[in-house]
Amino acid sequence: MRQAGRSLPEYRAVRGEGSINDAIANPDLATEITLQPIRRYGVDAAILYSDIVTPAHAIGFGLDVVPGIGPVVEKPFESSDDLARLRPLDPEADTPYVLETIDNLVAELDIPLIGFAGAPFTVASYLIEGRPSRTYQRTKALMKTHPDLWFALMDRLADLAITSLQSQVAHGAEAIQLFDSWAGALSAADYERYAMPSSAKVLETIGESGVPRIHFGVGTGELLGLMADAGADVVGVDWRIPLAEARTRVPADRALQGNLDPAILGAPWEIVRDEVDGVLASNDGHPGHIFNLGHGVQPDTDPTVLEKVVDHVHAYRSTS
Ligand code: CP3
């Protein structure tokens, strides 16, 4: 899950003080940072070190990722004039460093590399709000007041995600994850109308390349069926509902990903272990399960607890 690396001392040692955009633009550094949690934890797949706002940054939308805050936009998206600031992405010219990082990783890894993109709704929320938001007021106002502009924006962001994902797959990413982290802010009806069509376009188009597609969001218990229908092979589940319940909400042929509460990792190991066992019990031996956290790793998480989690899950796998 996102930011497994940022709790690691070896990450802080190499990351430096600058913007994450600078670290992402340095392929040797981005390769090393992707590999750090693999070496430390022995997990079963690697996730590319990049960010969901990297393509928008690369085409010059004017945003930075501020440590401790997240993506911050200089001039937020307001009107149809701003569509011109979202030209198509040319991955080989605009993000050659991402592709070089993937080339390095594919040569080095003996486990699959997961590529990713931000879903149009979640990326739009950053571009419109200008910074992380709890209420998404501007985003919701724009989508309901100016639906034509909203759908034009969604379409640009879908194309940005598609082009980026296609280039990642062409360079050897073996699965992709579409992060619609903040889709849970929408009612099911609004998700279906305003967010789902553009995500479906991304998932359907990238599905043509044949790689498995993971579709993730937070607080999306009421949206899981729609997120599956959008074209996901794997649906991410946060910790708010048990996997057994999530399974009743998605078609039987889909896998689930999740769903240990990352905030529980601060508790003593016996408690963490019981929570991990609870996730595994709720999955009940179903073959379609990627064990994961329900969301990103908190920076103050003790890496030795995560080591134990991975070992415990692997031990379960080898006895069942
Ligand atoms: O685990 C990984 O490091 C994989 C690479 C990755 C990052 N961001 C690196 C990163 C991935 C897959 C992401 C996705 C991402 N970025 C999402 C979707 C996933 C999710 O968590 O819901 C979102 C919403 C973002 C936007 C973003 N970038 C936020 C909210 C932050 C946190 C700001 C902070 O410092 O608290 C970032 C910064 C960021 N992206 C870090 C990392 C490792 C934090 C540390 C740093 O700046 O070095």
Side-chain angles (χ1 to χ4, degrees), residues 161-308:
I162 288 168
T163 317
S164 172
L165 289 171
Q166 284 174 330
S167 70
Q168 295 177 50
V169 171
H171 280 254
E174 289 183 74
I176 67 94
Q177 181 152 197
L178 188 67
F179 284 107
D180 209 352
S181 303
W182 315 132
L186 296 173
S187 68
D190 282 350
Y191 175 78
E192 189 171 14
R193 173 146 186 227
Y194 294 104
M196 184 179 166
S198 54
S199 289
K201 180 179 169 187
V202 177
L203 290 166
E204 280 163 17
T205 309
I206 201 68
E208 291 162 12
S209 66
V211 297
R213 300 152 299 174
I214 308 167
H215 196 184
F216 171 83
V218 184
T220 47
E222 301 304 322
L223 307 180
L224 293 176
L226 293 170
M227 290 177 73
D229 290 347
D233 303 293
V234 183
V235 179
V237 184
D238 81 359
W239 61 93
R240 291 174 178 88
I241 65 167
L243 291 180
E245 171 61 28
R247 257 188 223 292
T248 67
R249 302 185 185 192
V250 304
D253 61 344
R254 309 308 163 85
L256 298 182
Q257 170 177 277
N259 69 343
L260 184 70
D261 182 352
I264 210 71
L265 295 169
W269 166 243
E270 291 67 32
I271 294 180
V272 177
R273 186 197 57 207
D274 288 353
E275 295 280 332
V276 173
D277 286 341
V279 171
L280 294 169
S282 189
N283 181 62
D284 197 21
H286 197 289
H289 179 212
I290 299 173
F291 184 93
N292 205 331
L293 304 182
H295 199 199
V297 178
Q298 294 302 317
D300 55 357
T301 302
D302 176 356
T304 63
V305 173
L306 280 173
E307 284 169 24
K308 287 182 187 168

Side-chain angles (χ1 to χ4, degrees), residues 2-3 6 11 15 20 48 50-51 68 126 179 181 295:
R2 166 165 77 87
Q3 300 163 10
R6 70 174 172 166
Y11 176 68
R15 163 75 171 79
I20 195 172
L48 176 70
S50 181
D51 202 274
Y126 286 117
F179 284 107
S181 303
H295 199 199

